[in-house]
Amino acid sequence: MGKKGKKEKKGRGAEKTAAKMEKKVSKRSRKEEEDLEALIAHFQTLDARKTQVVETPCPPPSPRLNASFSAHPEKDELILFGGEYFNGQKTFLYNELYIYNIRKDVWTKVEIPSPPPRRCAHQAVVVPQGGGQLWIFGGEFASPDGEQFYHYKDLWVLHLATKTWEQVRSPGGPSGRSGHRMVAWKRQLILFGGFHESTRDYIYYNDVYAFNLDTFTWSKLSPSGTGPTPRSGCQMSVTPQGSIVIYGGYSKQRVKKDVDKGTQHSDMFLLKSEDGREGRWVWTRINPSGAKPTPRSGFSVAMAPNQQTLLFGGVCDEEEEESLEGDFLNDLYFYDATKNRWFEGQMKGLKSEKRKRRRAMKAGPEGADQQECVEASAQAPLEVVKEVVSEDGTVVTIKQVLAAPGPSEEPQLGEDDSPEEAGGSSVEPCPRSNAMLAVKHGRLYLYGGMFEAGSRQVTLSDLYCLDLHKMDEWMVLVEADPETQEWLEETDSDEDSDAAEGAEGGEDDEEDEDNSEEDEAPSASLRHVPQQ
C-alpha cells in the first residue's frame, strides 16, 4: 500500500507541474495570440467576400507540407486542405480546398464561402454520414517573424454532399494545439496529444478527448494505466479489434537556458475501451515483434488494406547544441495489429538499397550536390534528372531512378500476405518528411512534403501512387517541377522591412491585399515539428 500511495502522489505531482506549465505558456502567449488574431481576422474578411461555391479545374496544387489529404468516403476523390510553404524568406499558409479525381486524373479548386482560417499541422478525419463529412480540428498559423504561432482550438466540418463549411462550437474541448492526432472511433472523434508553443515556452500534451458525433459534445477522457508521455506527430490508428494504437512521435525539453533537446519516441501503446463500461478507457504498453521502424519524426501515416497501419518516410535527427543533422527517409512500414507485428514494406522484384537523404545544416554547394532524392540502382538504371540552382549557387538534384525490372514470378500481395514478402522498386518518391498520404481502393497516394539540402528547404508538389495489393511499383502522377523550387536567401534588410508584415495566404487571393501581408519564417522542420 505504501508503494502504491507513493506512486499516486508522484502522479499527482506531475499533473500539477504540467498544469503550472500550461498556465505559464498560456499567459505569455496571450498577447502574441491577440496580435495574430488581428491578422487572421483580416484574412477572414477576404474570405467573407466569397458568396457562392466556385469549382475551377486547375493544375496540381503548389508545393506544400503539413496539409491534410483525405479520401472521399463515397466518390473516387481525394481532398487536400490547408498546409504551408516556406521559400527562405516568407511563409505561405493556406486554407485552399482541392479535389483530385482519381479516375479522371483531374484537379479542381473548390472555393466555398466562410472556410476555416488558413492553417497547417491540423488534423482531418472523414466519416461517411450525411453523404460524407470532413472534420477538422486545430492546427497553427505563423507570426510575421516566424517566432510566434497561433494555435487553433476550433472544430469545423465540411459537408461534402452540399459543399458547405460549418464551424461547430462546443465547450469543453482541447486547448489550442498543432501536431496532435485524431481518428474516427465508432460515433466519436478521439484526439490525442500535440503541442503549443509561444516565444519563450512550449508544452507537449498527452491528454485524450472524445467528440460525440451525435450530440456534438466534447468530453475529456481519463484512461487508467500508464500511457504515452507528452508528444506530437505520432501514429494514431484504430485496430480491427476496436482499440487505438499510439506509436512514436516527437517532443522536446529544455536542458539548460536557451538549449532544447528533442526526443524521437519509438514506444507503442494501446488505448482500449473497457467492455461494458461506457467512457472508461485503459492504457497498455505493447512491444510488437518484427522489423520495427527506426526512430524518426515527421513520418506520415495512413490505413492500408487488411486494416494494417502504414508508415512512410520522415527524418531521423542527430541533435547537437548548435546543429541538427539527420537522414530523410522514404522507406515504408506496415503494422499488423492482429499479429502485433511490424513489417518492412519492400517492392516486388530485387531488393534495393535503402534510400536516404542526409540533412546537413551547414553544408555548402558541394554537399548539396551530393544530396540526391534517389540513388542509382546497380542494374543499369535510367535516371531522370532535374537540377535546381539557387541564387547562391547551391544545386539541388531531383532524380527519378528507373531500375531494371524484378522477376516476373514474384507473388502479388494477397489477402493473407504480408508486405515483407516483396522486393525492390523501379521508381520511388525521394526521401522526405511531412508528406501527405491517403488510401483509396487499395492504392496509396503520396503528395508533397519536404527535405533539406544544405541550409535550404525544398518543398515538394509531386504525386505518387502505389498499389498496396501488388506492391510492384510506384506510379508518378505528378512529377516534381523545378520551376516551383523558389529559394530566397534571408538578408538583414528583408528582416527589417518585413518585421511588421503578416503571413502570406493563398497565391491567388487579391494581390493588392496579400502582397502587403507577408512574413518570413524558418522552415517548419527547423522551428519545431508540427508533423502532419
Side-chain angles (χ1 to χ4, degrees), residues 53 55 69-80 97-106 108 110 112 126-133 158-164 438-443 445:
V53 177
E55 300 184 42
F69 201 33
S70 311
H72 195 293
E74 296 181 356
K75 299 181 179 180
D76 294 330
E77 295 177 345
L78 304 177
I79 307 162
L80 181 73
L97 182 71
Y98 290 94
I99 303 293
Y100 176 66
N101 187 297
I102 295 171
R103 296 192 181 279
K104 296 181 180 179
D105 187 26
V106 171
T108 302
V110 184
I112 301 174
V126 169
V127 296
Q129 62 204 58
Q133 296 174 344
L158 173 62
H159 300 280
L160 298 174
T162 59
K163 293 186 173 61
T164 54
V439 174
K440 186 71 176 179
H441 299 317
R443 293 178 179 268
Y445 294 86

Side-chain angles (χ1 to χ4, degrees), residues 321-334:
E321 287 191 8
E322 300 299 330
S323 65
L324 178 66
E325 295 184 354
D327 293 319
F328 284 86
L329 307 168
N330 66 344
D331 47 3
L332 200 59
Y333 287 87
F334 295 82

